[in-house]
Amino acid sequence: MHRIRIVHKEWLVALGFLAPSLIGFLLFYVLPFGQSVLLSFQDRFDQHLTLMNYAELLQSSSFRKAAANSLLFTGISVPIIVILSLAIALMLNKRVFGRRAMRTAYVLPLVVPVASLVLLWQILFDWNGTINAVCSHFGLERVDWMQSDAAMWVVILMYVWKNLGYNVILFLAGLQNIPEQYYEIANLEGASPLRKLFGITFVYLTPTTFLVLLMSVVNSFKVFRETYLVAGAYPHDRIYMLQHYMNNMFLSLDIEKLSAAATLMAAAVLILVFVLFRVERAFRSFME
């Protein structure tokens, strides 16, 4: 009985510390999202429940284009940043020349404001920017990068450069948590570097890789700030994302259709996260 009272008291103390954050999360995230879901089923004029907002949304060519671009961006950028950050983390985990300087260089974009990063990319890819200046010097034609099919790759490059350092830090933490004894035993048994990489490193990095993959997917849906600052509210068709569509719906005060688009986007993210959880659980069961 005394032990139950102690546990109950500890739960009350923990709840007291968590209460401010839980109340804030409930008031500013859960309730507004629930209201948004409810609005997505309401008619714009007579407020009765309907699926018309979703029907009009799926019939909209602008929404389909935005959804396709967002999924394409995620499908291309996430594998690139996960593989690249893992490769860099494996390199920095070894004793290489200039390791501390390289760690600082990869982490630096995390502490620089987004507006400053965008200014840097405008200097590089503007019509009168550095890259076009170099092209002109060698007799090549100038390219309006943000108004061409290459705009998607410019945004992918910016996304990878901005978020690479955070993923590298996570992978480095995961690598340093792998017991060194495993590699020593593998060396005694004559295991090749490739065998140690796949049999030890990748196996014990599974939870970290899942976390990096999850964070990369979530961050890929937050690239609107950079794209908006570089190309404006109506960018090239290749980089017209879901957030652009929702921003334009907000400006036109079509709140119901905006809520429907936000609900579909949230559902898509939840489905991706659920699939990642299932894959990670299946892989871990297979390895065990």
Side-chain angles (χ1 to χ4, degrees):
M1 189 66 180
H2 179 67
R3 181 177 179 83
I4 295 176
R5 289 179 178 177
I6 294 176
V7 172
H8 183 68
K9 185 178 180 180
E10 290 177 350
W11 271 99
L12 289 177
V13 172
L15 187 61
F17 281 109
L18 292 175
S21 297
L22 291 176
I23 293 173
F25 180 74
L26 180 65
L27 290 178
F28 297 107
Y29 288 94
V30 177
L31 291 181
F33 180 73
Q35 184 181 15
S36 178
V37 173
L38 181 61
L39 282 173
S40 69
F41 290 100
Q42 289 183 353
D43 186 84
R44 186 175 185 180
F45 300 101
D46 57 15
Q47 303 300 311
H48 72 273
L49 297 181
T50 178
L51 293 175
M52 187 59 66
N53 293 320
Y54 290 95
E56 293 179 357
L57 204 63
L58 297 176
Q59 293 173 2
S60 171
S61 59
S62 297
F63 175 79
R64 293 200 301 268
K65 176 174 63 178
N69 286 338
S70 297
L71 291 176
L72 179 64
F73 176 82
T74 300
I76 296 176
S77 62
V78 170
I80 290 176
I81 194 172
V82 171
I83 294 173
L84 189 59
S85 57
L86 176 58
I88 293 173
L90 289 172
M91 178 186 68
L92 295 180
N93 196 46
K94 299 179 180 179
R95 294 181 179 178
V96 295
F97 177 76
R99 181 173 62 174
R100 291 185 178 180
M102 285 189 289
R103 286 181 176 179
T104 303
Y106 288 122
V107 176
L108 190 60
L110 294 175
V111 299
V112 179
V114 174
S116 301
L117 296 177
V118 170
L119 179 62
L120 173 62
W121 287 96
Q122 286 178 333
I123 293 173
L124 289 174
F125 291 98
D126 188 72
W127 177 262
N128 295 315
T130 305
I131 294 179
N132 277 328
V134 173
C135 291
S136 298
H137 179 75
F138 289 100
L140 301 175
E141 294 184 0
R142 291 177 179 265
V143 178
D144 192 354
W145 297 98
M146 299 310 298
Q147 295 298 326
S148 66
D149 290 339
M152 173 68 78
W153 292 104
V154 174
V155 177
I156 289 174
L157 186 62
M158 182 165 50
Y159 161 80
V160 171
W161 185 72
K162 174 70 170 62
N163 297 281
L164 186 67
Y166 183 70
N167 291 351
V168 170
I169 292 174
L170 293 178
F171 273 126
L172 280 173
L175 287 170
Q176 292 171 4
N177 283 330
I178 301 176
E180 191 65 29
Q181 294 85 346
Y182 295 159
Y183 295 103
E184 295 175 357
I185 295 173
N187 290 332
L188 292 175
E189 295 180 351
S192 64
L194 198 62
R195 175 64 178 171
K196 288 186 289 185
L197 181 65
F198 285 94
I200 299 177
T201 306
F202 285 170
V203 171
Y204 287 94
L205 272 183
T206 299
T208 305
T209 304
F210 169 72
L211 176 61
V212 170
L213 191 60
L214 183 61
M215 295 300 298
S216 299
V217 169
V218 173
N219 287 332
S220 70
F221 282 91
K222 296 161 57 178
V223 77
F224 169 72
R225 296 176 303 171
E226 293 84 348
T227 308
Y228 183 85
L229 291 173
V230 171
Y234 295 94
H236 189 267
D237 283 353
R238 294 285 291 172
I239 54 174
Y240 185 76
M241 304 293 185
L242 278 171
Q243 294 91 336
H244 288 95
Y245 179 83
M246 289 187 286
N247 183 67
N248 296 334
M249 288 297 101
F250 177 78
L251 293 177
S252 64
L253 297 180
D254 195 348
I255 305 300
E256 289 76 15
K257 193 175 293 184
L258 165 64
S259 300
T263 301
L264 286 179
M265 181 177 174
V269 174
L270 288 176
I271 291 172
L272 285 174
V273 171
F274 176 77
V275 171
L276 289 175
F277 268 109
R278 296 292 296 178
V279 171
E280 191 267 343
R281 183 177 299 177
F283 180 78
R284 183 178 297 181
S285 299
F286 174 76
M287 296 307 298
E288 291 175 354

